[in-house]
Amino acid sequence: MSEVKATMDPKCDLVSFDFGKIRSLVWLVLILLVFSDKPQNIAGIVYGSYVKQDYAMVSLPSVILEPGIVGTSTLYMNSTSAMVSVGPLPSNSTEYSDSFTIVTGSTSGLHNDTHAKDGVCFQLIESGGGVNLIFDGYYGYSTDTDRTGSVKIFVNLYGNVTGETWHISLYNYTSSSYNEIGTFSSTSDAWGNFTVASGVFHFIDEGGSLRVGINQPDKDAAPASTDTFYTDYQEVRITYAKESYDYVLEVANQVAGAWKIRLSAYDQSNTIRLENCTIYFHNGGASRQIYINEGLYEQQVGNWYDLAASATDYIAVTVKANSTGASFIYVYLEILEPNTSIYIRYILTFVIT
Amino acid sequence: MKESRTGVIRKRWLKVLTLLLTTTIISTVSASVYYSMYMEPTVIISQATVIFQVGDDWPTGSSMGTNSTYAALSLKAYPNATLTYEEPLNISNTDSIAHDVRLRHVSITPASGASVSNFAFINFTLNAVDFDYTVSGTTWDTPSDMSYQTLPATTEWALKIETKAVAGAIDGVTCTIVISLDVEE
């Protein structure tokens, strides 16, 4: 048995090994194998899993787009996206009164006079007499006039009165009554300029006439015989100002619940040629949503605007370009469910040539 | 009788081999050699510290499970329009320490077929990390497991959801997605 020790002779090193070290090494490997992976198995294996189940259903939209009355609007399937094309705004058109007739009232002098710029005017000296002074102004209602755009009526007077405040009014053919549009009380010659910018077509009858009332002490009163209203000129002018494409799209709410809507521009190309471009909502009031000035955004996202239950809001565009070409404005129409942050996005593309 | 040097070396090699064999057996069939220790777990029913919460945009028709560890959301998808729920469901850490959480896809039904082509996408976003389901033809592409996100103590995150159906999608088509919210203790 002791012969084994004899084999540990150093002379044998070249053909034998340090078996003690090998044994230790094997034990070390064994220990490492057994224990090495335990810490990593412990870490991170304690967790809980909660289940969330989502049920998604395709639904038809409650708010849809509808085409506008100006420009070219293309609606895509489901009416949830659209492309609108508009060109430069055409020139404004203006129609002047071309004759006047005194309907009631006494005058001490009346003559037609051709005003170089503003069409037919006449001189009127009204000295009271117990009846209202009313005159009809007929303007050149030609069939080829483009009557789209922002319509305004201008009533301009130049003259003086004897000290009273005279009331200028327009006859409303819808309500069959006079609507006051301003007063005039200058005792020396001066212009009285009056403008009507809303409900214009209530004041123009189908035959193309306007009826102006000039009275005091109120619009429906009969002036005293001593009251004098003297005018050198008076004119009625109607302008159709192409200030905007009104409207290029409708946003129609098909349900009885209200929403809020806004526009948000998310991309664009070649807008540098746009001196001025405004995209806005209107329906009674108006809300500017996107505004480009000198080619740059001054407003890229609009404020929320009410879309009432079963109502329609309108999208209008004003544009002025300084060169030819095509500009693209890519916009989200965002439809917000009130009192939540749930919203729908429709993609609108505005092409401005 | 003196043993030859070759015999001694052979014996030593045999010992080493025996030891190595023993090591291998122990490491591979270690279960056969064991000792027993007793572990006595006590399981206490506890309220989960990370829970679902109804969000400000909780969709009509949705339901929250008892203990707020299950939620079923009823979502809409409009044709050719993106519908966004900014806060339909919140994930709330009521604990005083942070927890790592992630979303993990479990199932979607139907996973493929003609009805799937009515959808464009259903995207989830948690802590600005996307977890998106998209459609390729008639098959849903499901997301990989989200990496764990650290939800700080006493903090609530909103889960944002965006849906979209394709133009001309058929009204009433549905799909059901089951997602697991994994929470590390």
Side-chain angles (χ1 to χ4, degrees), chain A residues 3-4 7-8 12 17 26 46-50 52-59 77-78 80-81 341 343 345, chain B residues 1 5 8 12 50 57 71-73 75 77-80 82 84 86 168 171-173 175 177 179 181-183 185:
Chain A
E3 288 127 359
V4 175
T7 62
M8 299 301 287
C12 299
F17 297 92
V26 170
V46 181
Y47 67 93
S49 295
Y50 310 155
K52 185 174 82 67
Q53 183 167 314
D54 302 303
Y55 178 83
M57 181 171 69
V58 176
S59 304
M77 193 175 287
N78 303 112
T80 51
S81 64
S341 47
Y343 57 91
R345 275 181 169 168
Chain B
M1 193 76 178
R5 202 177 82 177
V8 171
R12 289 182 176 177
V50 176
D57 301 330
L73 299 182
L75 307 169
Y78 291 120
N80 197 29
T82 302
T84 302
E86 289 282 356
D171 185 23
V173 169
C175 77
I177 305 174
I179 296 171
L181 173 70
D182 295 339
V183 182
E185 291 288 339

Side-chain angles (χ1 to χ4, degrees), chain B residues 47-107:
Chain B
Q47 177 64 43
T49 52
V50 176
I51 57 174
F52 292 127
Q53 294 277 21
V54 170
D56 289 345
D57 301 330
W58 181 250
T60 303
S62 302
S63 63
M64 179 68 77
T66 307
N67 304 316
S68 300
T69 52
Y70 170 82
L73 299 182
S74 181
L75 307 169
K76 291 181 179 178
Y78 291 120
N80 197 29
T82 302
L83 171 61
T84 302
Y85 299 80
E86 289 282 356
E87 289 186 39
L89 180 67
N90 294 341
I91 296 167
S92 177
N93 182 3
T94 62
D95 205 348
S96 57
I97 59 170
H99 287 280
D100 288 347
V101 300
R102 73 171 180 184
L103 297 179
R104 177 168 52 84
H105 167 71
V106 176
S107 67

Side-chain angles (χ1 to χ4, degrees), chain A residues 71-228:
Chain A
T72 303
S73 48
T74 305
L75 300 187
Y76 298 109
M77 193 175 287
N78 303 112
S79 299
T80 51
S81 64
M83 182 171 71
V84 172
S85 299
V86 294
L89 285 167
S91 302
N92 295 349
S93 58
T94 302
E95 294 171 323
Y96 299 102
S97 51
D98 56 8
S99 66
F100 290 96
T101 301
I102 300 298
V103 178
T104 63
S106 59
T107 60
S108 59
L110 173 66
H111 70 272
N112 285 333
D113 185 19
T114 302
H115 192 283
K117 181 180 178 183
D118 297 333
V120 175
C121 298
F122 64 94
Q123 188 180 58
L124 172 68
I125 300 172
E126 203 286 317
S127 60
V131 293
N132 296 353
L133 172 63
I134 299 168
F135 66 89
D136 276 353
Y138 296 92
Y139 64 96
Y141 198 92
S142 62
T143 55
D144 58 355
T145 299
D146 179 1
R147 292 189 174 81
T148 60
S150 174
V151 186
K152 293 180 181 176
I153 298 174
F154 297 90
V155 176
N156 300 320
L157 308 169
Y158 183 79
N160 62 76
V161 298
T162 52
E164 310 80 16
T165 296
W166 290 69
H167 297 258
I168 315 302
S169 58
L170 282 177
Y171 187 70
N172 185 325
Y173 288 93
T174 304
S175 63
S176 302
S177 62
Y178 283 89
N179 289 19
E180 185 171 307
I181 60 174
T183 60
F184 187 86
S185 57
S186 175
T187 54
S188 58
D189 283 350
W191 281 102
N193 301 312
F194 310 97
T195 305
V196 178
S198 63
V200 164
F201 290 105
H202 294 302
F203 306 111
I204 305 172
D205 78 353
E206 293 177 353
S209 75
L210 288 157
R211 179 164 291 188
V212 181
I214 303 173
N215 291 291
Q216 73 88 22
D218 60 55
K219 68 182 178 63
D220 297 316
S225 59
T226 56
D227 301 335
T228 299

Side-chain angles (χ1 to χ4, degrees), chain A residues 5-74:
Chain A
K5 289 180 182 175
T7 62
M8 299 301 287
D9 188 334
K11 293 176 183 173
C12 299
D13 284 351
L14 290 176
V15 290
S16 64
F17 297 92
D18 186 340
F19 288 98
K21 287 184 179 176
I22 293 174
R23 201 177 292 121
S24 299
L25 185 62
V26 170
W27 277 114
L28 180 63
V29 168
L30 180 60
I31 290 166
L32 287 175
L33 277 173
V34 172
F35 295 106
S36 62
D37 63 342
K38 283 215 166 173
Q40 69 197 43
N41 284 347
I42 291 169
I45 60 170
V46 181
Y47 67 93
S49 295
Y50 310 155
V51 173
K52 185 174 82 67
Q53 183 167 314
D54 302 303
Y55 178 83
M57 181 171 69
V58 176
S59 304
L60 293 179
S62 302
V63 176
I64 61 168
L65 301 168
E66 292 183 347
I69 57 172
V70 292
T72 303
S73 48
T74 305

Side-chain angles (χ1 to χ4, degrees), chain A residues 225-257:
Chain A
S225 59
T226 56
D227 301 335
T228 299
F229 188 105
Y230 174 92
T231 61
D232 279 331
Y233 299 103
Q234 49 199 341
E235 64 159 339
V236 176
R237 179 160 44 102
I238 302 173
T239 64
Y240 300 91
K242 303 302 184 292
E243 296 167 347
S244 66
Y245 285 102
D246 187 13
Y247 49 90
V248 296
L249 277 177
E250 291 183 9
V251 183
N253 184 2
Q254 298 186 304
V255 296

